[in-house]
Every structure is written in structure tokens, then in C-alpha cells.
Amino acid sequence: MTAQQLKNSILQMAVQGKLVPQNPDDEPASVLLERIREEKEKLIKEEKIKKEKNLSYIFKGDDKIHYEKVGKNPPVSIEDELPFEIPESWEWVRLKEITCKEIKRGKSPKYSNKGNILVFAQKCNVKSGGINLSLAKLLDENMLSKYPNDEFMEDFDIIVNSTGTGTLGRIGIFRNSDNFLNKKIVPDSHVTIVRTGVNFSSEFLYYCMKYYQPILEEKGEGSTNQKELKPKTIKDLYIPVPPLKEQQRIVGKIEALFPYIEKYEQSETQLTKLNSNFPDKLKKSILQQAVQGKLVPQEPSDEPASVLLERIRAEKQQLIKDKKIKKDKNESVIFKRDNKYYELINGVERCIDGEIPFDIPDSWEWCRWGSIAESIQYGYNSPALDNGAIKMVRISDIQNNQVLWNNVPYCNINKNDIDTYLLKKNDILFARTGGTVGKSYLVKDVPCKAIYAGYLIRTRYSVNLCPKYLKRFMESSLYWIQLKNGTTTTAQPNCNGKTLANMLIPIPPFAEQQRIVGKIEDLLKYCEML
């Protein structure tokens, strides 16, 4: 059970007489009700309350069937209307039979900036339980003449929110201890007050009405935004009445149990949070294991990454010679000597051992992204058009690792510039600005001729690398930490191509890159299931 289901279960047991045992020595509820009726007659005689029109009277016939007599009408069987069975010593009543004040809403108040009378609004009956009088406003005391004495709220008054989507039917109980300002309080027109006499436990009635709360929430009348819970609906609720001593035992049992349920609820909340965060944390852990060389075993027969990087460097030199790419002025080579890492740039060597975040297997190598990239190219700036010859992918067109090609607009671009910005399969795009800065996308296919917009950066790299491994690196904590360190935080976070080019990336042998990708994809299926 959830904590709420457990609370509901306890309340259900309480109102059905199953939470505490019955005591044969208790005065039966029938005698209690006679005393309550006498109490009400006295209040009517003293003109403290008005006589209820069509007062109902529920009793058991010789056939053990419950009947109800309303006013001067003949009694009718209500056995089919009663919501559940109750013990022999209990009785059924309508709620209005056991109250010592007419069940009605408060008045529409006129507020003031000063005064000594608080107005209890339905927002004071807070969703999480309890009463919050800091939300109450002050009454214009010129209205005081409209409030008879019984309109002022008293200790253990039960509050029923009577209007409003999301608040209608909510049950609360007011205690004098809630009144930290020590001012008199009147209810506003959006709450209904239920008050019992000394011969009935207000707390038992409160828990009974909490049991009914889901039912009351559905009994609002009127339009969707203007639903109201009419006093008659509340007055006519069937209330199970135990002997007074049993009411007190039930309240004691509930109040003994609820602190445990609150602890249970806290644990449940923590568990829910852990469960909701677990798949994401598991994914991050998988990716971290992957880039550290701990996800799959190394194979001695694999060509080491050092040979792979030499081949990529030779490949880049040929592209430079063929004038297909420009020479990188800050070409980096990272190597290890005497168990320390060094970097060579333009003939200058420096130790970077302190920058290396973790150890990697002997067959792996560290390098900068710029040294494996053929290009890191900013996108094209052009207004979006409804039609044209070439499409232009924007950040907003990439959702859930997919390009929504039907939403991609067209643009105008000089023919001589198309080759510079043309998208190809296995290109990686990443956002350089805004709320999605750093998010990457591996181009899987290009169904039509397309370029990419200015807020994106495209990186293109050697065919000797596994595209999916590079993409998974760009989802790892190592990538995001480096990106954060290279991001300028202004009104819009910004990242540039230099940040990407300078990123350290661990490179496994090509065959291991493929094994890592396969393992990640297998494991992430379980994350999706979670």
C-alpha cells in the first residue's frame, strides 16, 4: 500500500468498527443518541439553535432492517442506502442529527487592513493537512453586527471546503492551538462549519468525515469551475455512531498509528524519488564505466589505440596536403613518459598529468577532440522559409535524439557555401547556446539535402572511429564536466568550438569501441524498462 492507501484503510476500519474491539460494558450508542437529542431540544428551547425542518430519525425495526422517519412522513427502509455494516452497539444517523449548530457556510466577508477578527478562508485548510492561519485576512469590523455568537469558530470545529476545483470536499479540524494570533475567527462563504456537542467526539467525527472526503469531492454541483458542495449534501451524510467511550478509543488508536504512517510516507517519498532518479543515475554510471574502460574486457589481440591515432594523424596530414581541410595551428599529441602524461603542441612539451581525470587501460590513449576531428564547423545563419531548395536543421528540430524532418524549414544559401555546411551521415551536431547547450545529436540519415543553423556546431571526424562511441562520450559525465568548465554563463549559456576541440577524450582500440557501444545499448534497454 501507499501511505495514503494505508491511511484510507485505517479510516475505513475505524468507521466500520474494526479498528478497536467493542466493549460490552460501554453504554450503547442508542442511549448516547437519546442524550444528544435531549441536548438539542434544550438548545432549541433556549433559542440557541433553530429547530431542523424535516428532522430525520433512523431506527432498527423488528426485522433488523434500518428505517428512517422524516418529519411526519411514514418510515421507509434505508438498508440499501447504508454504505456498510456496523457493530450491534452502534447506530446510524444523519450528520445533522448530532450537531449543536446549524450546518451552513460562513458569510461573504468584507476585508480590512486592520482589526481583531480573522476570516478563515478555504486556503487556510491546507492540502497537506492541518490549519494555516497565516493565510487568513482581517474582517472589516463594521460587519460584526451580522455575526451572531455561534458564527465565531470554536475549538474542534470541523471545516469542509465547499467550493473550488481541487479544494472542494477537503476536511480539516480547527483547534484553538492553531490560533497563534489569539484573535476571534469567522468562516468565509467558501467553507462549511460542522460542530458537535459535548456528547460526541469531534475528533471521531473528523476522522469519519476524512473517510468520506473522496465521496464529498465528487458531490460538487454546478459547472466545472464553479462547483459547490451544498450544506444539504453534508447534512444528509450517513454517520456511524459508536458508543462514546469507543469513539475515544478509536481516536486514540488512530492517533497512535498515524505517526508511523507519516514515517512510512517519508520513506515512501524517498523511495519514489530514488526510483525515479535511479534509471538516469544508472545510465550515467554505465557511461562512466564505458569511458573508463571498465564496461567490457580488453582483448590483447586488438590493435592498440596508439596505432589507431597514428593512422588518424596520417589521414589528417593527407587531407591537409590535398587542401581539403586546414592545418590545425595547435595540433595536440598526448603521450606518457615515466608514468606521467605530457602534451606536445607546436614543438612545446608540457606535463598535463594533473588534468587527466582517471586511469585508463594500457591499450587506450588520451587525446584532444580537436586532434581526431577533421573539422569543427559553426552553422549557417539564415531566416527560416516555408519552401526552397535546401532544408536548415535548427536546435528546436532535434527532439529525443531524432530530427523532426517534417518541421525542418528551408533557407536561402549561396551555392558556393553549401558544401561547407552540408550534413552527412555520422556528423555530430551539438548546441552551442541556450537551455540545451552541449546537447548532441548523431546524424543517422539525411533524407533530403540539408544544412544546419547557426546555433549548432558540426564536428566531423575520422572514419577510423566508431561514431556511436563518440556520441556516447558526449553523454558521459566527463564530457559534461568539461563542457561546463568551458561554458560562459550569461543571460544565455554559450559554448564554442574551442571548448569542444580542447576536450580530453579516452580512445579505446576500434574493436573495443564497437564492443562498448554494443554493451551500452544492451544495458540501456534495461534502463528504459526501469
CSV table of all heavy atoms in Angstrom, one decimal, residues 396-442:
chain,number,residue,atom,x,y,z
A,396,SER,N,15.7,23.5,-32.3
A,396,SER,CA,14.4,23.1,-32.0
A,396,SER,C,13.8,21.9,-32.8
A,396,SER,O,12.8,21.3,-32.4
A,396,SER,CB,13.4,24.3,-32.1
A,396,SER,OG,13.5,24.8,-33.4
A,397,ASP,N,14.5,21.6,-33.9
A,397,ASP,CA,14.0,20.5,-34.8
A,397,ASP,C,14.6,19.1,-34.3
A,397,ASP,O,14.2,18.1,-34.8
A,397,ASP,CB,14.5,20.7,-36.2
A,397,ASP,CG,13.9,22.0,-36.8
A,397,ASP,OD1,12.8,22.3,-36.6
A,397,ASP,OD2,14.7,22.7,-37.5
A,398,ILE,N,15.4,19.2,-33.3
A,398,ILE,CA,16.0,17.9,-32.7
A,398,ILE,C,15.4,17.6,-31.4
A,398,ILE,O,15.5,18.4,-30.4
A,398,ILE,CB,17.5,18.0,-32.6
A,398,ILE,CG1,18.2,18.4,-33.9
A,398,ILE,CG2,18.1,16.7,-32.1
A,398,ILE,CD1,19.7,18.7,-33.8
A,399,GLN,N,14.6,16.5,-31.4
A,399,GLN,CA,13.9,16.1,-30.2
A,399,GLN,C,14.1,14.7,-29.9
A,399,GLN,O,13.9,13.8,-30.8
A,399,GLN,CB,12.4,16.4,-30.3
A,399,GLN,CG,12.0,17.8,-30.6
A,399,GLN,CD,12.2,18.8,-29.4
A,399,GLN,OE1,12.2,18.3,-28.3
A,399,GLN,NE2,12.3,20.1,-29.7
A,400,ASN,N,14.5,14.3,-28.7
A,400,ASN,CA,14.6,12.9,-28.3
A,400,ASN,C,15.6,12.1,-29.2
A,400,ASN,O,15.2,11.1,-29.7
A,400,ASN,CB,13.3,12.2,-28.2
A,400,ASN,CG,12.4,12.8,-27.1
A,400,ASN,OD1,12.9,13.2,-26.1
A,400,ASN,ND2,11.1,13.0,-27.5
A,401,ASN,N,16.7,12.8,-29.6
A,401,ASN,CA,17.7,12.2,-30.5
A,401,ASN,C,17.1,11.9,-31.9
A,401,ASN,O,17.6,10.9,-32.5
A,401,ASN,CB,18.3,10.9,-29.8
A,401,ASN,CG,19.6,11.2,-29.2
A,401,ASN,OD1,20.4,12.1,-29.6
A,401,ASN,ND2,19.9,10.5,-28.1
A,402,GLN,N,16.2,12.7,-32.3
A,402,GLN,CA,15.6,12.5,-33.6
A,402,GLN,C,15.4,13.9,-34.2
A,402,GLN,O,15.1,14.8,-33.6
A,402,GLN,CB,14.2,11.8,-33.6
A,402,GLN,CG,14.2,10.4,-33.0
A,402,GLN,CD,14.9,9.4,-34.0
A,402,GLN,OE1,14.9,9.6,-35.2
A,402,GLN,NE2,15.5,8.4,-33.4
A,403,VAL,N,15.7,14.0,-35.6
A,403,VAL,CA,15.4,15.2,-36.3
A,403,VAL,C,13.9,15.1,-36.8
A,403,VAL,O,13.6,14.1,-37.5
A,403,VAL,CB,16.3,15.4,-37.5
A,403,VAL,CG1,15.9,16.6,-38.3
A,403,VAL,CG2,17.8,15.7,-37.0
A,404,LEU,N,13.1,16.0,-36.4
A,404,LEU,CA,11.7,16.1,-36.9
A,404,LEU,C,11.7,16.7,-38.3
A,404,LEU,O,11.4,17.9,-38.5
A,404,LEU,CB,10.8,16.9,-35.9
A,404,LEU,CG,10.9,16.4,-34.5
A,404,LEU,CD1,10.1,17.3,-33.6
A,404,LEU,CD2,10.5,14.9,-34.3
A,405,TRP,N,12.0,15.9,-39.3
A,405,TRP,CA,12.3,16.4,-40.6
A,405,TRP,C,11.1,17.1,-41.2
A,405,TRP,O,11.2,18.1,-42.0
A,405,TRP,CB,12.7,15.3,-41.6
A,405,TRP,CG,14.1,14.8,-41.3
A,405,TRP,CD1,14.5,13.7,-40.7
A,405,TRP,CD2,15.3,15.5,-41.7
A,405,TRP,NE1,15.9,13.7,-40.6
A,405,TRP,CE2,16.4,14.8,-41.2
A,405,TRP,CE3,15.6,16.8,-42.3
A,405,TRP,CZ2,17.7,15.2,-41.4
A,405,TRP,CZ3,16.9,17.2,-42.5
A,405,TRP,CH2,17.9,16.4,-42.0
A,406,ASN,N,9.9,16.8,-40.8
A,406,ASN,CA,8.7,17.4,-41.3
A,406,ASN,C,8.6,18.9,-40.8
A,406,ASN,O,7.9,19.7,-41.4
A,406,ASN,CB,7.4,16.7,-40.9
A,406,ASN,CG,7.3,15.4,-41.6
A,406,ASN,OD1,7.8,15.2,-42.7
A,406,ASN,ND2,6.5,14.4,-41.0
A,407,ASN,N,9.2,19.2,-39.7
A,407,ASN,CA,9.2,20.5,-39.1
A,407,ASN,C,10.4,21.4,-39.6
A,407,ASN,O,10.4,22.6,-39.3
A,407,ASN,CB,9.2,20.5,-37.6
A,407,ASN,CG,8.0,19.7,-37.0
A,407,ASN,OD1,7.0,19.6,-37.7
A,407,ASN,ND2,8.1,19.3,-35.8
A,408,VAL,N,11.4,20.8,-40.2
A,408,VAL,CA,12.6,21.5,-40.6
A,408,VAL,C,12.3,22.5,-41.7
A,408,VAL,O,11.7,22.1,-42.8
A,408,VAL,CB,13.7,20.5,-41.0
A,408,VAL,CG1,14.9,21.3,-41.5
A,408,VAL,CG2,14.1,19.6,-39.9
A,409,PRO,N,12.6,23.8,-41.5
A,409,PRO,CA,12.3,24.8,-42.6
A,409,PRO,C,13.3,24.8,-43.7
A,409,PRO,O,14.4,24.1,-43.6
A,409,PRO,CB,12.3,26.1,-41.8
A,409,PRO,CG,13.3,25.8,-40.7
A,409,PRO,CD,13.2,24.4,-40.4
A,410,TYR,N,13.1,25.6,-44.7
A,410,TYR,CA,14.0,25.8,-45.8
A,410,TYR,C,14.8,27.1,-45.5
A,410,TYR,O,14.5,27.8,-44.6
A,410,TYR,CB,13.3,25.8,-47.1
A,410,TYR,CG,12.7,24.5,-47.5
A,410,TYR,CD1,11.4,24.2,-47.1
A,410,TYR,CD2,13.3,23.6,-48.3
A,410,TYR,CE1,10.8,23.0,-47.5
A,410,TYR,CE2,12.8,22.4,-48.7
A,410,TYR,CZ,11.5,22.1,-48.3
A,410,TYR,OH,10.9,20.9,-48.6
A,411,CYS,N,15.8,27.3,-46.4
A,411,CYS,CA,16.6,28.6,-46.3
A,411,CYS,C,17.2,28.9,-47.6
A,411,CYS,O,17.3,28.1,-48.5
A,411,CYS,CB,17.6,28.5,-45.2
A,411,CYS,SG,19.0,27.4,-45.7
A,412,ASN,N,17.6,30.1,-47.7
A,412,ASN,CA,18.4,30.5,-48.9
A,412,ASN,C,19.9,30.5,-48.6
A,412,ASN,O,20.3,31.0,-47.5
A,412,ASN,CB,18.0,32.0,-49.3
A,412,ASN,CG,16.7,32.0,-50.0
A,412,ASN,OD1,16.3,31.1,-50.7
A,412,ASN,ND2,15.9,33.1,-49.9
A,413,ILE,N,20.7,29.9,-49.4
A,413,ILE,CA,22.1,29.8,-49.2
A,413,ILE,C,22.9,29.9,-50.5
A,413,ILE,O,22.4,29.3,-51.5
A,413,ILE,CB,22.5,28.6,-48.4
A,413,ILE,CG1,24.0,28.5,-48.1
A,413,ILE,CG2,22.0,27.3,-49.1
A,413,ILE,CD1,24.4,27.4,-47.2
A,414,ASN,N,24.0,30.6,-50.5
A,414,ASN,CA,24.8,30.7,-51.8
A,414,ASN,C,25.3,29.3,-52.1
A,414,ASN,O,25.7,28.5,-51.3
A,414,ASN,CB,26.0,31.6,-51.5
A,414,ASN,CG,26.7,32.0,-52.8
A,414,ASN,OD1,27.2,31.1,-53.4
A,414,ASN,ND2,26.8,33.2,-53.1
A,415,LYS,N,25.2,28.9,-53.4
A,415,LYS,CA,25.6,27.6,-53.8
A,415,LYS,C,27.0,27.3,-53.5
A,415,LYS,O,27.4,26.1,-53.2
A,415,LYS,CB,25.4,27.5,-55.4
A,415,LYS,CG,24.0,27.4,-55.8
A,415,LYS,CD,23.9,27.2,-57.3
A,415,LYS,CE,22.4,27.1,-57.7
A,415,LYS,NZ,22.3,27.0,-59.2
A,416,ASN,N,27.9,28.3,-53.5
A,416,ASN,CA,29.3,28.1,-53.1
A,416,ASN,C,29.5,27.7,-51.7
A,416,ASN,O,30.6,27.2,-51.3
A,416,ASN,CB,30.1,29.3,-53.5
A,416,ASN,CG,30.1,29.6,-55.0
A,416,ASN,OD1,30.0,28.7,-55.8
A,416,ASN,ND2,30.3,30.9,-55.3
A,417,ASP,N,28.5,28.0,-50.8
A,417,ASP,CA,28.6,27.7,-49.4
A,417,ASP,C,28.0,26.4,-49.0
A,417,ASP,O,28.2,25.9,-47.8
A,417,ASP,CB,27.9,28.8,-48.6
A,417,ASP,CG,28.7,30.1,-48.7
A,417,ASP,OD1,29.9,30.1,-48.8
A,417,ASP,OD2,28.0,31.2,-48.6
A,418,ILE,N,27.3,25.8,-49.9
A,418,ILE,CA,26.5,24.5,-49.5
A,418,ILE,C,27.4,23.4,-49.0
A,418,ILE,O,27.2,22.8,-48.0
A,418,ILE,CB,25.7,24.0,-50.7
A,418,ILE,CG1,24.5,25.0,-50.9
A,418,ILE,CG2,25.1,22.6,-50.4
A,418,ILE,CD1,23.6,24.7,-52.1
A,419,ASP,N,28.5,23.2,-49.7
A,419,ASP,CA,29.4,22.1,-49.3
A,419,ASP,C,30.0,22.3,-47.9
A,419,ASP,O,30.2,21.3,-47.2
A,419,ASP,CB,30.6,22.0,-50.3
A,419,ASP,CG,30.1,21.3,-51.6
A,419,ASP,OD1,29.0,20.7,-51.6
A,419,ASP,OD2,30.9,21.3,-52.6
A,420,THR,N,30.2,23.5,-47.5
A,420,THR,CA,30.8,23.8,-46.2
A,420,THR,C,29.8,23.4,-45.1
A,420,THR,O,30.3,22.9,-44.0
A,420,THR,CB,31.1,25.3,-46.1
A,420,THR,OG1,31.9,25.7,-47.1
A,420,THR,CG2,31.7,25.7,-44.7
A,421,TYR,N,28.5,23.5,-45.3
A,421,TYR,CA,27.5,23.3,-44.2
A,421,TYR,C,26.7,22.1,-44.5
A,421,TYR,O,25.8,21.7,-43.7
A,421,TYR,CB,26.6,24.5,-44.1
A,421,TYR,CG,27.3,25.8,-43.8
A,421,TYR,CD1,27.6,26.7,-44.8
A,421,TYR,CD2,27.8,26.1,-42.5
A,421,TYR,CE1,28.3,27.9,-44.5
A,421,TYR,CE2,28.5,27.2,-42.2
A,421,TYR,CZ,28.7,28.1,-43.2
A,421,TYR,OH,29.4,29.3,-42.9
A,422,LEU,N,26.9,21.3,-45.5
A,422,LEU,CA,26.1,20.2,-45.9
A,422,LEU,C,26.2,19.1,-44.8
A,422,LEU,O,27.3,18.7,-44.4
A,422,LEU,CB,26.5,19.6,-47.2
A,422,LEU,CG,25.4,18.8,-48.0
A,422,LEU,CD1,24.2,19.6,-48.3
A,422,LEU,CD2,26.0,18.2,-49.2
A,423,LEU,N,25.1,18.6,-44.4
A,423,LEU,CA,25.1,17.5,-43.4
A,423,LEU,C,25.3,16.1,-44.1
A,423,LEU,O,24.8,15.9,-45.2
A,423,LEU,CB,23.7,17.4,-42.7
A,423,LEU,CG,23.5,18.4,-41.5
A,423,LEU,CD1,22.1,18.3,-41.0
A,423,LEU,CD2,24.6,18.2,-40.4
A,424,LYS,N,26.1,15.3,-43.4
A,424,LYS,CA,26.3,13.9,-43.9
A,424,LYS,C,26.1,12.9,-42.8
A,424,LYS,O,26.1,13.3,-41.6
A,424,LYS,CB,27.8,13.8,-44.4
A,424,LYS,CG,28.1,14.6,-45.6
A,424,LYS,CD,29.5,14.4,-46.1
A,424,LYS,CE,29.9,15.2,-47.3
A,424,LYS,NZ,31.3,15.0,-47.7
A,425,LYS,N,25.8,11.7,-43.1
A,425,LYS,CA,25.6,10.7,-42.1
A,425,LYS,C,26.9,10.6,-41.2
A,425,LYS,O,28.0,10.7,-41.7
A,425,LYS,CB,25.4,9.3,-42.8
A,425,LYS,CG,25.1,8.2,-41.8
A,425,LYS,CD,24.8,6.9,-42.6
A,425,LYS,CE,24.6,5.8,-41.6
A,425,LYS,NZ,24.3,4.5,-42.3
A,426,ASN,N,26.6,10.4,-39.9
A,426,ASN,CA,27.7,10.3,-38.9
A,426,ASN,C,28.3,11.6,-38.4
A,426,ASN,O,29.2,11.6,-37.6
A,426,ASN,CB,28.8,9.3,-39.2
A,426,ASN,CG,28.2,7.9,-39.3
A,426,ASN,OD1,27.3,7.5,-38.6
A,426,ASN,ND2,28.8,7.0,-40.1
A,427,ASP,N,27.8,12.7,-39.0
A,427,ASP,CA,28.2,14.0,-38.4
A,427,ASP,C,27.6,14.1,-37.0
A,427,ASP,O,26.5,13.5,-36.8
A,427,ASP,CB,27.6,15.2,-39.3
A,427,ASP,CG,28.4,15.4,-40.5
A,427,ASP,OD1,29.5,14.9,-40.7
A,427,ASP,OD2,27.9,16.2,-41.4
A,428,ILE,N,28.3,14.8,-36.1
A,428,ILE,CA,27.7,15.1,-34.8
A,428,ILE,C,27.4,16.6,-34.7
A,428,ILE,O,28.3,17.4,-35.0
A,428,ILE,CB,28.6,14.6,-33.7
A,428,ILE,CG1,28.8,13.1,-33.7
A,428,ILE,CG2,28.1,15.0,-32.3
A,428,ILE,CD1,29.7,12.5,-32.7
A,429,LEU,N,26.2,16.9,-34.4
A,429,LEU,CA,25.8,18.3,-34.1
A,429,LEU,C,25.7,18.5,-32.6
A,429,LEU,O,25.3,17.6,-31.9
A,429,LEU,CB,24.4,18.6,-34.7
A,429,LEU,CG,24.3,18.5,-36.3
A,429,LEU,CD1,22.9,18.7,-36.7
A,429,LEU,CD2,25.2,19.5,-36.9
A,430,PHE,N,26.1,19.7,-32.1
A,430,PHE,CA,25.8,20.0,-30.7
A,430,PHE,C,25.5,21.4,-30.6
A,430,PHE,O,26.0,22.3,-31.3
A,430,PHE,CB,26.9,19.5,-29.8
A,430,PHE,CG,28.1,20.4,-29.6
A,430,PHE,CD1,28.3,21.1,-28.5
A,430,PHE,CD2,29.1,20.5,-30.6
A,430,PHE,CE1,29.4,22.0,-28.3
A,430,PHE,CE2,30.2,21.3,-30.4
A,430,PHE,CZ,30.3,22.1,-29.3
A,431,ALA,N,24.6,21.7,-29.6
A,431,ALA,CA,24.0,23.0,-29.4
A,431,ALA,C,25.1,23.9,-28.7
A,431,ALA,O,25.7,23.4,-27.7
A,431,ALA,CB,22.7,23.0,-28.6
A,432,ARG,N,25.3,25.1,-29.2
A,432,ARG,CA,26.3,25.9,-28.6
A,432,ARG,C,25.8,27.0,-27.7
A,432,ARG,O,26.5,27.8,-27.1
A,432,ARG,CB,27.2,26.5,-29.7
A,432,ARG,CG,26.6,27.5,-30.6
A,432,ARG,CD,27.6,28.0,-31.6
A,432,ARG,NE,27.0,28.9,-32.6
A,432,ARG,CZ,27.0,30.3,-32.4
A,432,ARG,NH1,27.5,30.8,-31.2
A,432,ARG,NH2,26.5,31.1,-33.3
A,433,THR,N,24.4,27.1,-27.6
A,433,THR,CA,23.9,28.2,-26.8
A,433,THR,C,22.5,27.8,-26.3
A,433,THR,O,21.9,26.9,-26.8
A,433,THR,CB,23.8,29.5,-27.7
A,433,THR,OG1,23.4,30.6,-26.8
A,433,THR,CG2,22.7,29.4,-28.8
A,434,GLY,N,22.0,28.6,-25.3
A,434,GLY,CA,20.6,28.4,-24.8
A,434,GLY,C,20.5,27.3,-23.8
A,434,GLY,O,21.5,26.7,-23.3
A,435,GLY,N,19.3,26.9,-23.4
A,435,GLY,CA,19.0,25.9,-22.4
A,435,GLY,C,19.5,24.5,-22.8
A,435,GLY,O,19.6,23.7,-21.9
A,436,THR,N,19.7,24.3,-24.1
A,436,THR,CA,20.1,22.9,-24.5
A,436,THR,C,21.6,22.9,-24.8
A,436,THR,O,22.1,21.9,-25.4
A,436,THR,CB,19.3,22.5,-25.7
A,436,THR,OG1,19.6,23.4,-26.8
A,436,THR,CG2,17.9,22.3,-25.4
A,437,VAL,N,22.4,23.9,-24.3
A,437,VAL,CA,23.8,24.0,-24.7
A,437,VAL,C,24.5,22.6,-24.3
A,437,VAL,O,24.3,22.1,-23.2
A,437,VAL,CB,24.5,25.2,-24.0
A,437,VAL,CG1,24.5,25.0,-22.5
A,437,VAL,CG2,25.9,25.4,-24.5
A,438,GLY,N,25.3,22.1,-25.3
A,438,GLY,CA,26.0,20.9,-25.1
A,438,GLY,C,25.3,19.7,-25.5
A,438,GLY,O,25.9,18.6,-25.7
A,439,LYS,N,24.0,19.7,-25.7
A,439,LYS,CA,23.2,18.5,-26.2
A,439,LYS,C,23.7,18.2,-27.6
A,439,LYS,O,23.9,19.0,-28.4
A,439,LYS,CB,21.7,18.8,-26.2
A,439,LYS,CG,21.1,18.8,-24.8
A,439,LYS,CD,21.0,17.5,-24.2
A,439,LYS,CE,20.3,17.5,-22.9
A,439,LYS,NZ,18.9,17.7,-22.9
A,440,SER,N,23.9,16.9,-27.8
A,440,SER,CA,24.5,16.4,-29.1
A,440,SER,C,23.5,15.5,-29.8
A,440,SER,O,22.6,14.9,-29.2
A,440,SER,CB,25.8,15.7,-28.8
A,440,SER,OG,25.6,14.6,-28.0
A,441,TYR,N,23.7,15.4,-31.1
A,441,TYR,CA,22.9,14.6,-32.0
A,441,TYR,C,23.8,13.9,-33.0
A,441,TYR,O,24.5,14.6,-33.8
A,441,TYR,CB,21.8,15.4,-32.6
A,441,TYR,CG,21.0,14.6,-33.7
A,441,TYR,CD1,20.2,13.5,-33.3
A,441,TYR,CD2,21.2,14.9,-35.0
A,441,TYR,CE1,19.6,12.8,-34.3
A,441,TYR,CE2,20.5,14.2,-36.0
A,441,TYR,CZ,19.7,13.1,-35.6
A,441,TYR,OH,19.0,12.4,-36.6
A,442,LEU,N,23.8,12.6,-33.1
A,442,LEU,CA,24.5,11.9,-34.2
A,442,LEU,C,23.6,11.7,-35.4
A,442,LEU,O,22.5,11.2,-35.3
A,442,LEU,CB,24.9,10.5,-33.6
A,442,LEU,CG,25.6,9.5,-34.7
A,442,LEU,CD1,26.9,10.1,-35.1
A,442,LEU,CD2,25.7,8.2,-34.1
